[in-house]
Amino acid sequence: HDTKPQYRDRFLVSKPDGWYRLKVNEIAFFYLENKNTVAVDFKGDHHPIDQTLNQVMESLDPASFFRTNRQTIVNIDAIQKVETWFNGRLLVKTKPYHIEKITVPREKAIIFRELWLNG
């Protein structure tokens, strides 16, 4: 039988007036803010997620999401442009825009480029 991993397709997010479902394919990227995980959707809205970035990454399809560095996980579809950066690193530009620079370390750059180009 088919044993391909089951990836998460939504998160539960808490707002002052209740709980909402946020679909994974609506999320542009996740980032860390004061040790808290935040999901940013394609509309640019920010949603606190009650999980660590490691837990989030383990539940996502690695063909769609990439752990660029310790602070961010990016949806491949949110990437507009990739620039070369210092010391062989890559600078990732997303839409919506992320206020922090999203960089990919040199040791991950090749894997990242292959995923982004061939995805």
Side-chain angles (χ1 to χ4, degrees):
H1 61 263
D2 190 17
T3 54
K4 92 178 171 56
Q6 285 297 300
Y7 297 114
R8 172 189 284 272
D9 62 358
R10 62 187 170 274
F11 286 90
L12 212 52
V13 292
S14 163
K15 298 271 182 198
D17 63 341
W19 292 87
Y20 293 89
R21 291 189 336 184
L22 177 63
K23 289 186 179 153
V24 164
N25 62 5
E26 292 172 359
I27 298 171
F29 57 87
F30 298 86
Y31 72 97
L32 220 45
E33 186 174 57
N34 305 324
K35 297 195 168 68
N36 297 314
T37 302
V38 179
V40 178
D41 65 26
F42 281 100
K43 294 189 296 249
D45 296 331
H46 292 229
H47 309 273
I49 301 285
D50 195 17
Q51 288 187 336
T52 66
L53 270 189
N54 284 341
Q55 290 170 324
V56 167
M57 191 62 225
E58 282 167 14
S59 68
L60 298 173
D61 183 349
S64 301
F65 287 87
F66 189 83
R67 179 78 183 258
T68 48
N69 55 44
R70 283 192 295 279
Q71 282 82 31
T72 49
I73 297 170
V74 175
N75 182 336
I76 294 296
D77 291 336
I79 298 169
Q80 285 217 299
K81 182 166 112 173
V82 177
E83 298 173 4
T84 49
W85 196 239
F86 303 112
N87 304 329
R89 289 184 296 167
L90 300 174
L91 181 64
V92 177
K93 305 278 185 141
T94 57
K95 186 176 176 62
Y97 173 77
H98 186 33
I99 195 133
E100 303 288 333
K101 280 190 169 43
I102 302 176
T103 57
V104 178
R106 187 178 55 210
E107 54 282 9
K108 283 182 158 187
I110 293 167
I111 312 164
F112 173 75
R113 258 198 310 256
E114 285 177 358
L115 176 66
W116 190 54
L117 290 170
N118 306 331

